[in-house]
Amino acid sequence: MKRIRVIPALLIQDGGLVKSVKFKDHKYVGDPINAVKIFNEKEVDEIVVLDISASLEKRGPRIAEIKEIASEAFMPLGYGGGITRLSEIEELITAGVEKVILNSSAFENPTLINDAAKYVGSQSIVASVDVKKNMWGKYRVFIKNGAKNTDIDPVEFARKMEDAGAGELLLNAIDRDGTFGGYDETLIRSVSSAVNIPVVAIGGAATINDFVKAVGAGASAVSAGSMFVFQLPHRAVLISYPRQQELEEKLFSYIN
Amino acid sequence: MVLDKTDPSYRRCTITVMDNIADPDITFDEKGICNYYYDYKEAEKRVLTGAAGEQKLAELSAAIRKQGQGKKYDCLIGLSGGVDSTYVAYLVKQLGLRPLAVHLDNGWNSELAVKNIENIINKLNIDLYTLVVNWQEFRDIQLSYIKASVVDIEVVSDHAIFATMYKLAKEQDIGYIISGTNIVTEHIMPSNWLYKKMDFANLEDIHDKYGKVKLKTYPIFDFKRYVYYSAVLKLTPISILDYVPYIKKDVKEFIKRELDWRDYGGKHYESIFTKFYQAYILPEKFKIDKRKAHLSTLICSGQISREEALNELELPLYSEQDLRQDKEYVLKKLGLSVTEFDSIMRASPRRHEEFKSDTKLKRNYMTLLQKTQGLRKIFK
């Protein structure tokens, strides 16, 4: 039996918590501080907070807001959104962020990954890889919260990130985001077999069984948004997280 | 005004634990029994238990089922995660009804509350609808109430939940709202501890004077809607708990066993704000200890002894550590500094009546309805 990290991922837009479907149709789901407080009391392994409007608005991270969130998170906190400079990474770490997540700037400026890894260590640098199939069914890496196609294959990009010094990949299947349709196992398999760093799968989880499948496909850890925020059938907002016992029975016990 | 028990004019009821600190207008008879006791005894007549309760419930559920034929849901219930709403959820399922549960997320949910709700809907197989109030707007209204120094800050939540229930009932074409309000555990409540939850004019005026954020999504229940829902849809919430034996202690044990419900101590402590409001703001600023009313009700309905109630009143409302933690969190969420908050706490309370109200409008409307009743019958 092996422990697998199960990580809630929260999206922030204009200071509020939102949830998307395929990176679109963002629905307001509440106040980030209270959500993080509830997840904290649920003793989640780690939490990821992504400010999805930062890059689009061409601004840096809102440190004061992140500090308030971090003060409710006693578990490791990952933050991504709008980071373009090493000084911002320094500020985030000081604010209480354990893992810095880079997406657009990882593509536009891979040396930032390198510099950041030297500064805080690879284990704190996560490259977020948002992937969508193009018209011909080929996986492509997207940046700017899914708005811009880089036309690069995710396997190639993942290797590049590993070489640059990223300690972890957050692999997001845009087409599965918010669909409750399960992870993209093909994508997980191809990327995780190409790199040696941990791959965190995100996009599509509906049940613990989906976590098992993602790990089977090569993911080191799993992340989910909608599954921990919504109750079906009405997508009623209600934060939940499986009990440790449930994770042991339905997830850890399947992993060697 | 009597402020503490050492005051020579201090008086406490000989049956309940209500006193002239809780309500300066309290009256006592020659035996030292207060008006709240007699008021309770009067209300108690509406409680039906045993065969009468069963019959009432059978009639009600038959009517609800009939009207709900062919629809996905036949009734709406509110779900806060507290004892009352949890037991209502259990009962409606027992009665064979098909409820849609409505939950208000105002940004103050505790982990206990959301976990309780999760357990309830999963164990009872009930669909949930959550109203998430925009936190920037909600915070702005809450702050307005705090700054206005009016007593019933909970209007901000209660108004939103009522407005949502009515709106949803209409949208989903659901004919009945079933509420957890009940006589045997919560009837006694001095009128000056609360304000009318449905008075949107009051809310709007308080917010106009103290707020900054424009209200775009906050659910409102104004006079126009009042007329529509009360006269056209004729939606009146049913207090189902008045028709079953409702012994709080036993019900808690029952829902713990059956629904994995967890207790958070204190009535309505499912919300962090409500806890802070009832255990700090109310007693400190308004000299109101809500436990007096709750415990008095339980005495009147024979659920605890006066002795037990008096002992409980001796316990502190907050442990020092909890108060420090909650205060820090509440102020952080509201964006208030300690200095700002403490100065608001020192400001004198003001009455809701100093702000606008739609009460008169509603009263005139009701009078009009009564006067024209005969006339309207002819045209029906």
Side-chain angles (χ1 to χ4, degrees):
Chain A
M1 194 168 87
K2 193 179 153 200
R3 267 197 68 85
I4 298 291
R5 285 176 291 147
V6 176
I7 309 166
L10 304 176
L11 307 180
I12 295 185
Q13 193 178 50
D14 306 323
L17 217 54
V18 295
K19 191 61 205 83
S20 54
V21 176
K22 301 184 181 185
F23 280 36
K24 291 190 185 113
D25 303 326
H26 296 93
K27 181 185 168 185
Y28 181 78
V29 294
D31 172 45
I33 297 177
N34 209 56
V36 170
K37 184 181 168 72
I38 292 173
F39 277 120
N40 185 63
E41 283 168 31
K42 288 187 175 290
E43 297 179 350
V44 305
D45 300 311
E46 246 180 78
I47 196 160
V48 158
V49 172
L50 303 170
D51 184 338
I52 57 169
S53 39
S55 280
L56 292 170
E57 289 168 12
K58 296 190 174 58
R59 61 164 170 81
R62 291 183 168 141
I63 301 290
E65 271 176 32
I66 299 160
K67 214 179 243 172
E68 291 201 331
I69 291 171
S71 67
E72 293 305 325
F74 300 126
M75 64 296 214
L77 167 71
Y79 170 83
I83 306 165
T84 53
R85 293 196 302 264
L86 188 62
S87 62
E88 287 163 346
I89 294 175
E90 292 171 17
E91 280 182 278
L92 286 167
I93 300 284
T94 316
V97 170
E98 263 91 352
K99 288 186 179 180
V100 172
I101 303 164
L102 299 162
N103 175 263
S104 299
S105 58
F107 171 79
E108 287 163 350
N109 178 19
T111 52
L112 181 64
I113 298 241
N114 203 297
D115 295 344
K118 275 185 198 146
Y119 171 70
V120 285
S122 278
Q123 79 288 341
S124 290
I125 303 302
V126 181
S128 156
V129 188
D130 295 340
V131 180
K132 197 161 89 171
K133 281 183 181 162
N134 68 10
M135 283 198 308
W136 294 276
K138 296 254 189 266
Y139 288 120
R140 287 294 176 256
V141 174
F142 280 65
I143 56 167
K144 308 278 177 205
N145 194 35
K148 194 180 166 196
N149 185 353
T150 66
D151 222 21
I152 292 178
D153 179 76
V155 169
E156 183 192 334
F157 186 71
R159 286 199 180 115
K160 203 174 159 189
M161 289 297 105
E162 184 179 27
D163 291 343
E168 191 166 276
L169 296 178
L170 181 64
L171 182 62
N172 202 340
I174 297 176
D175 292 326
R176 302 294 175 99
D177 172 55
T179 62
F180 290 93
Y183 290 104
D184 187 335
E185 292 165 59
T186 316
L187 175 67
I188 298 169
R189 199 166 284 117
S190 63
V191 171
S192 60
S193 62
V195 294
N196 293 311
I197 52 175
V199 171
V200 183
I202 183 167
T207 63
I208 298 180
N209 194 38
D210 291 330
F211 299 160
V212 176
K213 288 185 194 164
V215 175
S220 298
V222 287
S223 186
S226 296
M227 177 180 163
F228 299 142
V229 172
F230 290 133
Q231 294 286 321
L232 294 176
H234 295 291
R235 286 184 172 263
V237 175
L238 189 77
I239 289 173
S240 68
Y241 187 78
R243 286 174 296 120
Q244 283 304 313
Q245 192 197 340
E246 215 179 338
L247 286 174
E248 272 171 33
E249 282 166 17
K250 296 182 184 165
L251 175 62
F252 306 156
S253 62
Y254 290 98
I255 320 279
N256 299 314
Chain B
M1 208 167 130
V2 183
L3 289 177
D4 67 83
K5 283 190 266 179
T6 58
D7 192 311
S9 48
Y10 175 75
R11 279 194 80 182
R12 175 148 60 194
C13 174
T14 49
I15 291 183
T16 72
V17 291
M18 294 301 283
D19 56 21
N20 54 358
I21 298 174
D23 178 9
D25 301 327
I26 193 169
T27 56
F28 299 96
D29 68 5
E30 66 286 355
K31 284 179 253 162
I33 302 168
C34 75
N35 55 305
Y36 289 100
Y37 171 78
Y38 292 107
D39 183 46
Y40 178 88
K41 286 294 152 190
E42 201 46 44
E44 197 180 38
K45 293 175 186 160
R46 302 201 301 272
V47 177
L48 303 175
T49 49
E54 278 166 32
Q55 197 196 333
K56 177 85 182 173
L57 283 180
E59 284 166 15
L60 276 173
S61 47
I64 294 169
R65 273 195 297 268
K66 189 170 173 224
Q67 213 198 74
Q69 263 172 10
K71 299 175 191 170
K72 184 145 192 228
Y73 308 107
D74 54 22
C75 58
L76 274 181
I77 56 172
L79 205 50
S80 67
V83 188
D84 299 341
S85 69
T86 302
Y87 200 51
V88 166
Y90 171 81
L91 288 174
V92 294
K93 288 296 280 192
Q94 284 296 105
L95 291 169
L97 301 178
R98 292 169 293 125
L100 172 63
V102 186
H103 173 62
L104 174 80
D105 181 341
N106 61 6
W108 291 106
N109 269 337
S110 66
E111 194 276 327
L112 275 168
V114 295
K115 186 68 200 176
N116 280 342
I117 293 169
E118 187 193 344
N119 287 342
I120 295 157
I121 58 170
N122 288 332
K123 295 217 174 225
L124 296 173
N125 194 21
I126 294 176
D127 286 352
L128 179 72
Y129 173 92
T130 306
L131 166 78
V132 183
V133 194
N134 181 288
W135 169 243
Q136 301 304 330
E137 291 182 29
F138 192 82
R139 169 168 78 176
D140 199 53
I141 314 174
Q142 261 188 332
L143 270 175
S144 304
Y145 271 65
I146 293 171
K147 288 177 182 165
S149 291
V150 289
V151 71
D152 198 348
I153 308 173
E154 293 292 61
V155 163
V156 189
S157 295
D158 295 335
H159 189 86
I161 185 81
F162 287 134
T164 304
M165 297 278 273
Y166 281 110
K167 185 164 165 270
L168 207 60
K170 180 179 171 252
E171 278 173 11
Q172 301 267 337
D173 189 21
I174 298 172
Y176 289 88
I177 295 175
I178 302 190
S179 108
T181 313
N182 65 87
I183 291 168
V184 297
T185 74
E186 55 183 22
H187 179 72
I188 294 176
M189 190 56 66
S191 58
N192 52 1
W193 288 10
L194 296 177
Y195 187 70
K196 297 175 205 71
K197 309 293 188 183
M198 310 296 253
D199 190 342
F200 180 68
N202 199 247
L203 185 142
E204 194 179 33
D205 194 34
I206 292 171
H207 181 253
D208 274 351
K209 294 205 163 73
Y210 293 92
K212 292 188 191 101
V213 178
K214 198 170 158 32
L215 303 187
K216 289 181 192 153
T217 58
Y218 177 81
I220 61 171
F221 194 85
D222 52 13
F223 180 68
K224 191 177 74 200
R225 288 174 176 84
Y226 167 81
V227 171
Y228 179 77
Y229 288 114
S230 59
V232 183
L233 285 188
K234 293 199 167 58
L235 267 171
T236 315
I238 297 171
S239 300
I240 192 180
L241 297 180
D242 287 342
Y243 309 129
V244 292
Y246 192 56
I247 310 294
K248 200 103 183 189
K249 204 167 62 197
D250 300 348
V251 168
K252 276 188 181 180
E253 288 312 312
F254 178 79
I255 58 179
K256 273 181 199 166
R257 206 168 56 232
E258 296 292 316
L259 303 171
D260 278 343
W261 184 85
R262 287 182 297 165
D263 201 350
Y264 19 70
K267 190 172 165 72
H268 295 312
Y269 282 9
E270 58 266 25
S271 144
I272 302 163
F273 181 80
T274 302
K275 181 179 179 192
F276 186 70
Y277 168 69
Q278 291 194 165
Y280 186 72
I281 298 179
L282 276 183
E284 288 294 313
K285 176 161 178 162
F286 298 92
K287 310 299 167 203
I288 291 172
D289 183 346
K290 274 207 169 170
R291 294 178 304 181
K292 283 180 189 168
H294 296 148
L295 292 166
S296 292
T297 311
L298 293 178
I299 294 172
C300 289
S301 59
Q303 305 194 27
I304 56 166
S305 68
R306 186 168 182 271
E307 185 111 35
E308 285 172 281
L310 288 172
N311 286 339
E312 194 166 331
L313 282 177
E314 291 304 313
L315 301 174
L317 277 156
Y318 248 127
S319 76
E320 256 178 61
Q321 198 198 348
D322 282 5
L323 172 60
R324 201 172 50 238
Q325 271 176 12
D326 285 0
K327 186 175 175 183
E328 194 187 319
Y329 184 69
V330 168
L331 296 195
K332 176 165 91 177
K333 283 254 307 177
L334 291 175
L336 280 176
S337 71
V338 176
T339 331
E340 276 175 290
F341 179 71
D342 289 346
S343 93
I344 294 171
M345 285 296 287
R346 281 191 302 271
S348 304
R350 290 177 66 192
R351 295 169 65 244
H352 282 267
E353 288 78 2
E354 292 173 42
F355 298 89
K356 284 178 194 161
S357 165
D358 61 21
T359 311
K360 211 174 145 194
L361 210 57
K362 283 178 184 164
R363 204 169 42 227
N364 290 346
Y365 169 73
M366 288 314 288
T367 319
L368 178 78
L369 279 189
Q370 278 153 13
K371 277 188 189 157
T372 55
Q373 201 174 25
L375 202 65
R376 280 182 296 122
K377 266 186 189 153
I378 298 168
F379 289 108
K380 250 189 176 167

